[in-house]
Amino acid sequence: MIGHSQQVHCPNCGHLAERHHIDPDQLVRTQCGACDYLMITCARTGKVIEAYAPGLFATSAC
Ligand SMILES: [Zn+2]
């Protein structure tokens, strides 16, 4: 069975992103096609497994 998905607002750029619930691993994956934002969290504990937001890291350098 493939996990279901829903549309959410990207926390990085505000565009619509897709949130996928990956049932076998109890993971929630949020991905934005507009800015390459990616976040994978554990649905049970809420812990962030992996996160990537290009805008966040770029702004501190300028
Ligand atoms: Zn985005």
Side-chain angles (χ1 to χ4, degrees), residues 9-17 31-37 54:
H9 285 284
C10 171
N12 188 48
C13 75
H15 281 85
L16 279 178
Q31 186 164 24
C32 173
C35 72
D36 270 350
Y37 174 86

Side-chain angles (χ1 to χ4, degrees), residues 1-5 19-24:
M1 190 168 121
I2 301 171
H4 55 282
S5 66
R19 175 169 291 172
H20 297 271
H21 294 260
I22 307 163
D23 293 326

Side-chain angles (χ1 to χ4, degrees), residues 10-50:
C10 171
N12 188 48
C13 75
H15 281 85
L16 279 178
E18 281 202 347
R19 175 169 291 172
H20 297 271
H21 294 260
I22 307 163
D23 293 326
D25 297 324
Q26 297 282 301
L27 296 177
V28 179
R29 173 192 165 117
T30 306
Q31 186 164 24
C32 173
C35 72
D36 270 350
Y37 174 86
L38 173 72
M39 184 167 73
I40 300 173
T41 57
C42 177
R44 275 182 301 183
T45 64
K47 272 177 71 174
V48 177
I49 308 295
E50 190 177 339

Side-chain angles (χ1 to χ4, degrees), residues 55-62:
L56 292 178
F57 300 115
T59 45
S60 60
C62 296

